[in-house]
């Protein structure tokens, strides 16, 4: 009898056409794990975008450029007319770094003096910088020894510089990213918890009665307060963490705060969609945790997005955290126009609208379903009371 009861329970829970359970139990964790394994199992980072400032138009400069182009790690995206052009491209995120071929490059080599090539890289991503600068050193040293002398121990010297806010560092970027990632996950989980409250406690009829019979009022009363509170918490923590770095301008602060607001709305909207799809809080919470928890690993701040496999890049693109960190990094790296930040902002606004509209539609269907169920339960109770 005990064994039969155990088997019947297992069959009821796990094998009663419960596709959602198996999605949460198997498909989602395995899928995220495979994404992570695929991302970190690559042998080398490839196609890191860099630029070149060619102050010297000599044959040596052309040969060094050809050597750099032949490297699978590096991808020369821009030939800049001056340093400011390449520097702004690094701050915008279009380039990871750039080299300067000084105007005395070939002249120093002909005098058997080791030419010095400055390399400027972004302070945002330490891992990408490590791969890029190591490859640049290797390529230039190899090319120098082959091209003009084999007797010099160090034929081409490389100087590494950082581009952006000099008072910032990689640890600062990492800390800011982690703070935002925490609220990214919290918004999903809180969205699940708040929106599922009438469903899990079988109080849809009561809550709609409190809202004056309007489902729209119930929706607004549920969604808006939690998003405002989470946003204020996010901005407060962000401002507190930022006190150790150079102060943001008013425009930069507004842009960062607006990005965080739309991220909160998008994530809580995604949590609402999970409730609308699964219908059960614990399963919706599990889905939010599985998707939201590893988001920081895919957001481009611990591992370069350009080095991720295509499927992982697609996953990173649909995460609101990725776009918030793009805007945040643009603001932290220093003075730059807002054009690149606005592109990410438009995506965040679209995500916020999409997830909330979809969540509202799904929850409206869930509320109707529970209203009918609660009405039937009330009729049964009344019939039992009269009997």
């Amino acid at each position: 009898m005990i064994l039969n009861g155990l088997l019947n329970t297992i069959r009821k829970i796990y094998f009663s056409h419960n596709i959602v359970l198996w999605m949460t139990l198997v498909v989602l964790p395995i899928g995220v794990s495979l994404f992570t394994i695929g991302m970190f199992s690559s042998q080398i980072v490839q196609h890191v975008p860099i630029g070149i400032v060619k102050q010297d138009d000599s044959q040596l400069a052309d040969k060094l450029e050809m050597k750099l182009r032949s490297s699978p790690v590096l991808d020369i995206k821009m030939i800049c007319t001056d340093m400011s052009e390449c520097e702004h491209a690094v701050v915008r995120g279009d380039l990871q770094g750039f080299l300067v071929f000084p105007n005395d490059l070939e002249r120093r080599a002909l005098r058997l003096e080791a030419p010095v090539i400055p390399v400027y890289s972004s302070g945002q991503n330490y891992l990408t910088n490590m791969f890029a600068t190591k490859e640049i050193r290797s390529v230039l040293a190899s090319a120098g020894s082959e091209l003009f002398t084999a007797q010099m121990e160090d034929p081409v010297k490389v100087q590494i510089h950082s581009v952006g806010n000099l008072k910032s560092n990689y640890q600062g970027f990492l800390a800011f990213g982690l703070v935002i990632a925490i609220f990214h996950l919290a918004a999903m989980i809180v969205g699940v918890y708040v929106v599922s409250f009438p469903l899990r406690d079988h109080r849809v009829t009561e809550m709609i009665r409190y809202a004056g019979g309007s489902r729209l009022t119930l929706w607004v009363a549920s969604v808006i307060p939690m998003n405002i509170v989470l946003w204020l918490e996010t901005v407060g923590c962000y401002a507190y963490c930022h006190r150790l770095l150079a102060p943001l301008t008013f425009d930069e602060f507004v842009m960062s705060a607006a990005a965080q607001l739309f991220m909160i709305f998008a994530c809580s909207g995604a949590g609402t969609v999970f409730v609308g799809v699964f219908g059960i809080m614990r399963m919706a919470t599990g889905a939010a945790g599985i998707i939201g928890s590893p988001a920081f690993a895919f957001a481009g701040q611990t591992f370069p997005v350009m080095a991720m496999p295509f499927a992982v890049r697609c996953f990173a693109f649909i995460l609101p955290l990725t776009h918030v960190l793009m805007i945040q990094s643009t603001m932290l790296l220093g003075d730059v126009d807002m054009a690149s930040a606005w592109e990410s902002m438009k995506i965040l606004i679209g995500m916020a609208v999409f997830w909330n509209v979809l969540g509202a539609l799904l929850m409206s269907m869930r509320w109707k379903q529970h209203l009918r169920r609660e009405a039937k339960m009330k009729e049964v109770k009344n019939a039992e009371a009269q009997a």
Side-chain angles (χ1 to χ4, degrees):
M1 294 293 293
I2 296 177
L3 181 59
N4 287 336
L6 177 62
L7 294 176
N8 288 334
T9 304
I10 292 174
R11 185 171 62 252
K12 181 66 176 176
I13 294 175
Y14 292 96
F15 300 101
S16 297
H17 307 288
N18 201 341
I19 298 176
V20 173
L21 174 60
W22 286 103
M23 287 287 293
T24 309
L25 189 64
V26 178
V27 177
L28 289 176
I30 290 179
V32 174
S33 299
L34 291 176
F35 273 9
T36 306
I37 292 170
M39 184 173 71
F40 284 98
S41 62
S42 299
Q43 294 182 355
I44 59 172
V45 175
Q46 294 186 333
H47 308 302
V48 177
I50 64 170
I52 295 178
V53 180
K54 293 186 70 173
Q55 297 176 352
D56 187 82
D57 291 327
S58 64
Q59 293 183 1
L60 177 58
D62 293 337
K63 291 178 180 179
L64 291 177
E65 181 185 342
M66 290 176 58
K67 287 288 186 180
L68 290 169
R69 289 186 183 277
S70 66
S71 170
V73 176
L74 306 172
D75 184 8
I76 299 177
K77 291 287 188 181
M78 293 180 62
I79 301 296
C80 304
T81 56
D82 53 33
M83 287 184 57
S84 62
E85 183 182 355
C86 270
E87 186 171 348
H88 276 78
V90 172
V91 174
R92 288 195 307 268
D94 297 336
L95 300 178
Q96 181 60 35
F98 65 93
L99 302 84
V100 178
F101 290 155
N103 51 23
D104 61 348
L105 177 68
E106 190 172 63
R107 186 167 61 252
R108 287 178 62 91
L110 292 174
R111 292 202 304 258
L112 297 182
E113 298 176 2
V116 179
I117 298 179
V119 178
Y120 297 82
S121 60
S122 168
Q124 176 184 352
N125 195 307
Y126 178 79
L127 185 61
T128 313
N129 285 344
M130 179 183 69
F131 282 106
T133 55
K134 181 180 178 181
E135 182 69 11
I136 290 172
R137 285 179 184 274
S138 175
V139 171
L140 293 180
S142 174
S145 62
E146 293 174 2
L147 291 174
F148 57 92
T149 179
Q151 272 94 30
M152 296 179 66
E153 182 177 350
D154 192 6
V156 178
K157 294 182 179 180
V158 176
Q159 288 183 344
I160 306 297
H161 303 272
S162 180
V163 175
N165 191 342
L166 298 179
K167 295 185 178 180
S168 302
N169 52 40
Y170 177 67
Q171 291 82 357
F173 283 111
L174 195 63
F176 282 116
L178 285 171
V179 167
I180 303 303
I182 290 171
F183 284 98
H184 182 270
L185 176 60
M188 289 188 187
I189 294 177
V190 172
V192 169
Y193 184 83
V194 171
V195 176
S196 66
F197 174 72
L199 302 182
R200 67 177 184 269
D201 288 349
H202 305 289
R203 298 176 59 185
V204 177
T205 303
E206 179 185 356
M207 296 301 296
I208 290 181
R209 186 173 66 250
Y210 285 151
S214 171
R215 288 195 294 271
L216 177 61
T217 302
L218 175 58
W219 171 259
V220 172
S222 300
V223 171
I224 298 300
M226 70 172 175
N227 284 320
I228 296 300
V229 171
L230 279 171
W231 175 59
L232 292 176
E233 292 173 359
T234 307
V235 172
C237 290
Y238 180 80
Y240 178 77
C241 293
H242 202 281
R243 74 195 193 283
L244 300 177
L245 300 178
L248 292 172
T249 65
F250 179 75
D251 290 341
E252 291 169 346
F253 180 79
V254 169
M255 182 67 76
S256 299
Q260 292 158 11
L261 174 64
F262 290 114
M263 180 199 74
I264 294 296
F265 269 92
C267 291
S268 64
T272 302
V273 170
F274 296 148
V275 177
V277 171
F278 299 145
I280 303 174
M281 186 193 75
R282 63 178 181 273
M283 300 182 69
T285 303
I290 291 172
I291 293 175
S293 296
F296 186 65
F298 302 103
Q301 203 142 352
T302 58
F303 195 89
V305 175
M306 75 283 290
M308 297 179 185
F310 177 75
V312 185
R313 289 202 303 271
C314 293
F315 179 69
F317 180 82
I318 65 174
L319 291 171
L321 180 63
T322 303
H323 304 284
V324 172
L325 293 185
M326 287 182 182
I327 295 175
Q328 181 174 289
S329 300
T330 301
M331 299 300 105
L332 288 173
L333 279 171
D335 248 347
V336 68
D337 56 17
M338 296 291 181
S340 57
W342 272 113
E343 293 301 318
S344 297
M345 185 69 75
K346 292 174 185 176
I347 296 173
L348 282 171
I349 294 172
M351 286 181 174
V353 172
F354 172 78
W355 288 115
N356 279 277
V357 170
L358 180 59
L361 293 174
L362 292 174
M363 288 308 301
S364 179
M365 296 169 59
R366 285 286 178 185
W367 285 339
K368 290 179 181 179
Q369 181 184 11
H370 279 254
L371 284 172
R372 290 193 296 267
R373 187 179 304 171
E374 291 176 16
K376 289 180 180 179
M377 291 175 60
K378 187 176 181 180
E379 290 176 2
V380 171
K381 289 181 180 179
N382 290 336
E384 290 177 351
Q386 291 175 2

